[in-house]
Amino acid sequence: MIATDADITGLRREADALGPWFHNIDLGEGIWTAPDHFLGDYPGVKWRRFAQALPADLTGKSVLDIGCNGGFYAIEMKRRGAARVLGLDSDERYLAQGRFAARRLGHDIEFRNLSVYDVGRLGERFDVVLFMGVLYHLRHPLLALDLIHEHVAGDLLVFQSMLRGSPGIEPIAGDYDFWDIDAFERPGYPRLHFVEHAYAHDCTNWWIPNRAGIEAMLRSSGFAIESRPEAEVYLCRRVAAPYGAEAVYPARARQGSDGEEGR
């Protein structure tokens, strides 16, 4: 069926009514949701840098997209054959965008208003968890990673965060003497930069890690880093205990295990 000019105008009007969009999604008929995005074709431009690192066939798999925004990544997971895709966001405007885009493109995707801090309410684990561009918007980022590990991550975590500071990695000791303060001055030591007011005109940007910081946080929450296919993107596997914690701090390993304390 060939779309008429009236059809195309109506589609443009519907998309604009749900704006502004942060995800630029191709709705067909030459209509994109955010054609003037300040980052260009975003997040498509980023997706193309790491898409090949994810399984091409997700047939039979369940996917949870935490902080789904307008649904770009949720739609891409459906395109790879995922049996079930659930998108979570705490902003009703983004959820409305996601539902509209999925419906328009013919994908059966569920969207729910839920915060990352409430993922325990889902009561299930997912084969793939997407956590893209959310961490730096959180006041309690390590808690969020811990909750994802404890409640919903079944195997693969696809993680992305804005990073600032040194890209270097400082070797981390198992412990530090109280008087050893030089380590904290080294650019590659794990750190989070706290944003008191706003960053990029966005007052919801709270914490921005450096590379060493985010990798340490992922390991600390029980995610073994498998690859880094893009500068800000990590593919991780859920492990039973914080990665390497047994040798460094046995108490932490016990708390992160699949025993009673880790449930």
Side-chain angles (χ1 to χ4, degrees):
M1 183 177 178
I2 300 175
T4 66
D5 290 344
D7 293 333
I8 297 173
T9 299
L11 179 60
R12 177 75 273 168
R13 186 181 299 113
E14 285 186 86
D16 290 346
L18 292 169
W21 293 69
F22 189 70
H23 282 182
N24 188 35
I25 300 172
D26 183 1
L27 299 175
E29 308 300 341
I31 303 298
W32 292 76
T33 57
D36 299 318
H37 201 297
F38 77 102
L39 292 174
D41 178 23
Y42 192 86
V45 64
K46 179 173 286 290
W47 167 244
R48 289 188 288 274
R49 295 188 197 127
F50 70 90
Q52 76 289 343
L54 273 66
D57 185 2
L58 292 174
T59 301
K61 301 295 185 181
S62 59
V63 179
L64 177 65
D65 186 0
I66 303 173
C68 62
N69 203 281
F72 177 91
Y73 290 112
I75 290 169
E76 292 299 330
M77 296 301 100
K78 263 297 183 181
R79 284 175 172 160
R80 295 193 174 204
R84 180 178 179 227
V85 177
L86 171 60
L88 305 182
D89 210 289
S90 57
D91 189 321
E92 280 293 342
R93 178 170 58 90
Y94 289 144
L95 293 170
Q97 291 176 354
R99 292 184 183 108
F100 169 75
R103 183 173 62 252
R104 164 65 190 174
L105 297 173
H107 297 298
D108 181 16
I109 300 173
E110 180 185 356
F111 292 91
R112 291 180 59 182
N113 189 324
L114 207 66
S115 162
V116 63
Y117 303 121
D118 298 318
V119 292
R121 291 167 52 187
L122 294 174
E124 61 179 304
R125 292 193 182 277
F126 295 79
D127 298 306
V128 181
V129 174
L130 305 179
F131 195 44
M132 308 290 291
V134 180
L135 183 125
Y136 45 91
H137 292 301
L138 304 175
R139 285 182 65 91
H140 311 290
L142 193 59
L143 172 61
L145 288 173
D146 288 344
L147 291 171
I148 291 171
H149 180 275
E150 181 177 357
H151 294 292
V152 292
D155 181 23
L156 180 64
L157 173 70
V158 185
F159 174 87
Q160 181 263 330
S161 175
M162 174 172 58
L163 302 177
R164 293 293 183 268
S166 172
I169 302 291
E170 177 73 21
I172 302 300
D175 194 7
Y176 290 90
D177 186 84
F178 180 80
W179 302 107
D180 183 3
I181 61 175
D182 291 342
F184 300 96
E185 300 298 327
R186 296 169 188 150
Y189 188 85
R191 65 190 62 189
L192 283 173
H193 306 282
F194 178 66
V195 179
E196 183 177 0
H197 301 298
Y199 181 81
H201 311 295
D202 188 343
C203 64
T204 72
N205 286 323
W206 289 104
W207 296 97
I208 308 176
N210 65 358
R211 178 185 170 187
I214 199 55
E215 293 184 10
M217 291 173 70
L218 287 166
R219 292 191 299 266
S220 177
S221 292
F223 293 104
I225 298 170
E226 188 172 85
S227 66
R228 182 174 172 245
E230 200 264 353
E232 297 180 340
V233 176
Y234 292 87
L235 268 60
C236 308
R237 299 290 177 179
R238 183 186 187 274
V239 292
Y243 191 58
E246 297 88 343
V248 177
Y249 195 171
R252 289 187 179 183
R254 288 194 297 273
Q255 291 171 358
S257 71
D258 278 339
E260 289 302 314
E261 291 179 86
R263 293 188 184 277

